[in-house]
């Protein structure tokens, strides 16, 4: 196992990665929309993983308010790979789908996955 892979495993083991996004827009009549999406990836020391996506959105206008909320949870395993000098977080879900994300430790509590900056916390 390479030094880079070993370091990344130590950085990610027993951690949760979190990313939150919010968007909104209003028009002149007072109507509009709001959307919030939260992602969490739990990476346990035994290389099991849980991926959670929660979203909330609402549309309003003409006296109507339509909220919508959803939550998805997937289980699987995780690993760290090195290919051509780049380090990847690989997620293998229970339905046998896979996702390979280039990753980089950007310092205390900050992890880069592809082009997104995630917060990294110790699982409590």
């Amino acid at each position: 196992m390479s030094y880079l892979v070993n370091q990344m495993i130590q950085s990610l083991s027993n951690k949760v990665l979190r990313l939150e996004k919010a968007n909104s827009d209003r028009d002149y009549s007072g109507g509009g929309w709001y959307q919030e999406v939260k992602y969490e990836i739990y990476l346990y020391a035994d290389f099991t993983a849980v991926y959670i996506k929660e979203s909330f959105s609402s549309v309003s206008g003409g006296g109507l308010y339509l909220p919508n909320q959803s939550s998805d949870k997937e289980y699987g395993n995780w690993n760290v790979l090195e290919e051509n000098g780049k380090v990847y977080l690989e997620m293998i879900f229970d339905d046998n789908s896979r996702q390979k994300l280039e990753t980089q430790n950007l310092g205390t509590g900050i992890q880069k996955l592809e082009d997104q900056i995630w917060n990294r916390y110790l699982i409590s």
Side-chain angles (χ1 to χ4, degrees), residues 23-77:
N23 294 300
S24 64
D25 191 26
R26 295 268 176 236
D27 62 24
Y28 292 111
S29 68
W33 60 271
Y34 174 79
Q35 180 184 34
E36 182 178 283
V37 183
K38 296 179 184 179
Y39 302 92
E40 293 182 319
I41 304 172
Y42 288 84
L43 304 169
Y44 295 99
D46 64 356
F47 293 95
T48 58
V50 179
Y51 171 80
I52 300 170
K53 176 185 175 185
E54 296 177 333
S55 63
F56 172 80
S57 61
S58 65
V59 178
S60 61
L64 294 175
Y65 173 73
L66 299 170
N68 185 29
Q69 190 168 354
S70 69
S71 180
D72 294 316
K73 189 182 282 191
E74 295 185 62
Y75 297 90
N77 295 291

Side-chain angles (χ1 to χ4, degrees), residues 74-118:
E74 295 185 62
Y75 297 90
N77 295 291
W78 69 279
N79 200 3
V80 175
L81 310 170
E82 183 180 6
E83 294 177 0
N84 301 320
K86 295 182 179 180
V87 178
Y88 295 89
L89 170 63
E90 183 180 41
M91 305 287 297
I92 304 143
F93 298 103
D94 287 350
D95 65 0
N96 289 325
S97 64
R98 293 172 180 257
Q99 190 168 18
K100 189 167 74 170
L101 305 165
E102 186 178 347
T103 189
Q104 189 176 1
N105 181 343
L106 297 181
T108 304
I110 303 172
Q111 191 74 27
K112 185 175 182 182
L113 292 178
E114 294 297 326
D115 60 350
Q116 301 285 328
I117 305 299
W118 295 60

